[in-house]
Amino acid sequence: MFIAAGIAILLVYALLVYYIGRSLWKWMSPKPARWLKAAYIIILTVVSTSFILGRFFGGVTILSMIGSYWMALFYVLILLLPLTHLLLWVMKLASLHSHRTEKRAGITVLMLSAAIIGFGIYNAYSPVVRSYEVTIPKAADVESLNIVMAADMHFGLLSGAGHAERMVEEMNRLQPDLVLIPGDVIDDDLEAYLDLGMVELLKGIQSKYGVYTSLGNHDRFDGEITELIAALEQSGMQVLYDETAEVQGITIAGRRDKQDAGRAELSQILSGRDLTAPVLLLDHQPNALDEAQEAGTDLVVSGHTHNGQVFPGNLITGALFENDWGYLQKGSMHSIVTSGYGFWGPPIRLGSRSEIVQIEVTFQP
């Protein structure tokens, strides 16, 4: 069944690539030389398969880079080309169509695509700070807590050292009491994370009570999970892998990702902890809010959804998750989901923005 579905998806993708390739070629050169057409087909084939090949052959970084930008272009063209063809068809019915019109349409599509991708890259690499205020009706050893939270950095080939430096600088500017990172620190490749010097960069985060992280569905690689956890802890983070810690009379719990077969029940993770004191939870995917509420959690921080990353992805995440982005209160429990600091796949965001989250928590027993 899965093989058949995979083949069907590849066939649809191949047809869409053919549609894009044929449309652009027709607009660019109606009477091509044979060698030029052959070169165009070869280049299009390599570029359109580079994202898939880059995932299979992780060491071939140039393929991954080409593939990521191709996916951005592919997405934009799939939106623009049908609209352009519809407009040309209407113009033809109105006897306003000519070969020159098609040429101009092709140039306009390419220029508009470049502008949209440029705007998407800006959204991906220029994060904003979003602030929330939360009151927890429990006593702690402090009256308030300035929490800074980020997730889904996907540090690797494209979300690299420069992006990490900006994150550390912005976090430190916010002067956090506590930093929480609910998953997807790396992008399926621990070697890239280490080679980019992320360990030393992330050690620069300055937090009064420390940096705590849980793991996400992309925090994985070919080796043992203990190697990944060790690398993150060398980066100055305390990884909570179905575990808890205590800070200033506050319980901080971190869950394994939902896709992890060994994930424990939250009630088991919190067993033995004082639930009359505040409980903060890091859970990468925001799809266990009912369980968190029933277990006595006060604040859940999550990521994973990217707020869809590119429109209309946000409509899909909104249908899948009770809280796919932003703030939601369930009884006395608060859920905050970030759109993420990085991105997955194409390095663009359309209809969403990279962000760091600041949460001002007040404890009022």
Side-chain angles (χ1 to χ4, degrees):
M1 180 178 177
F2 289 109
I3 294 176
I7 292 173
I9 291 170
L10 286 175
L11 285 174
V12 171
Y13 176 66
L15 288 172
L16 291 174
V17 170
Y18 173 77
Y19 168 64
I20 289 172
R22 187 175 184 278
S23 298
L24 295 180
W25 181 257
K26 182 180 179 182
W27 290 340
M28 288 188 301
S29 181
K31 296 180 180 179
R34 285 186 178 180
W35 69 268
L36 190 60
K37 187 174 184 178
Y40 176 76
I41 293 171
I42 292 170
I43 292 171
L44 181 62
T45 301
V46 171
V47 168
S48 63
T49 57
S50 56
F51 185 79
I52 300 169
L53 294 174
R55 289 279 155 179
F56 277 106
F57 305 103
V60 189
T61 56
I62 188 65
L63 280 177
S64 296
M65 290 185 68
I66 292 172
S68 294
Y69 282 101
W70 158 255
M71 290 306 294
L73 179 61
F74 174 82
Y75 164 78
V76 173
L77 288 177
I78 286 301
L79 292 180
L80 292 181
L81 285 177
L83 295 175
T84 305
H85 281 122
L86 178 62
L87 178 61
L88 290 173
W89 178 72
V90 171
M91 292 178 70
K92 186 177 288 187
L93 289 179
S95 301
L96 299 173
H97 181 275
S98 68
H99 174 64
R100 183 175 295 179
T101 304
E102 289 211 4
K103 283 278 189 179
R104 289 173 177 169
I107 294 171
T108 301
V109 166
L110 292 177
M111 291 178 64
L112 191 55
S113 297
I116 292 173
I117 291 172
F119 178 67
I121 291 172
Y122 172 79
N123 283 342
Y125 284 103
S126 57
V128 296
V129 175
R130 301 199 191 277
S131 299
Y132 301 92
E133 294 182 359
V134 168
T135 299
I136 294 177
K138 294 180 180 178
D141 294 342
V142 291
E143 293 182 357
S144 62
L145 207 58
N146 176 25
I147 297 175
V148 172
M149 187 259 284
D152 301 285
M153 289 81 88
H154 290 271
F155 286 137
L157 187 62
L158 293 174
S159 182
H163 207 41
E165 287 175 358
R166 286 189 292 273
M167 185 189 79
V168 172
E169 290 173 2
E170 187 61 36
M171 282 185 166
N172 291 343
R173 187 188 68 79
L174 295 172
Q175 299 180 323
D177 295 322
L178 184 67
V179 171
L180 302 180
I181 301 176
D184 278 2
V185 179
I186 74 169
D187 194 33
D188 304 305
D189 188 350
L190 181 59
E191 185 177 346
Y193 176 87
L194 297 174
D195 289 346
L196 288 166
M198 293 298 180
V199 169
E200 292 301 317
L201 282 172
L202 298 185
K203 277 183 181 178
I205 298 174
Q206 298 168 8
S207 173
K208 185 184 294 186
Y209 302 125
V211 180
Y212 294 84
T213 184
S214 61
L215 301 186
N217 57 304
H218 286 278
D219 289 317
R220 56 188 171 85
F221 73 120
D222 292 335
E224 297 293 328
I225 194 67
T226 51
E227 295 178 58
L228 171 60
I229 291 174
L232 295 180
E233 292 191 335
Q234 288 171 15
S235 305
M237 310 175 195
Q238 182 172 339
V239 178
L240 299 176
Y241 196 55
D242 274 356
E243 297 168 302
T244 61
E246 184 175 331
V247 171
Q248 297 295 303
I250 303 162
T251 294
I252 304 175
R255 303 196 71 176
R256 299 190 189 194
D257 183 65
K258 183 176 175 61
Q259 296 180 15
D260 191 327
R263 174 172 157 120
E265 297 292 326
L266 184 55
S267 58
Q268 179 183 344
I269 298 169
L270 295 176
S271 176
R273 286 291 183 177
D274 181 8
L275 300 183
T276 64
V279 178
L280 312 182
L281 174 64
L282 295 88
D283 194 0
H284 179 62
Q285 300 188 39
N287 49 17
L289 299 184
D290 288 335
E291 183 186 2
Q293 183 183 20
E294 291 169 7
T297 302
D298 298 293
L299 171 64
V300 186
V301 293
S302 306
H304 183 65
T305 69
H306 294 215
N307 191 22
Q309 186 162 323
V310 293
F311 178 83
N314 59 314
L315 301 181
I316 297 172
T317 58
L320 292 175
F321 299 96
E322 184 178 6
N323 181 21
D324 72 316
W325 175 61
Y327 173 80
L328 174 72
Q329 184 169 357
K330 287 176 67 71
S332 61
M333 187 193 78
H334 309 273
S335 162
I336 295 177
V337 180
T338 175
S339 65
Y341 183 79
F343 44 82
W344 185 84
I348 62 171
R349 282 180 172 271
L350 297 168
S352 70
R353 185 82 177 267
S354 292
E355 66 181 24
I356 292 174
V357 172
Q358 184 178 34
I359 311 168
E360 293 287 348
V361 181
T362 302
F363 302 101
Q364 291 183 348

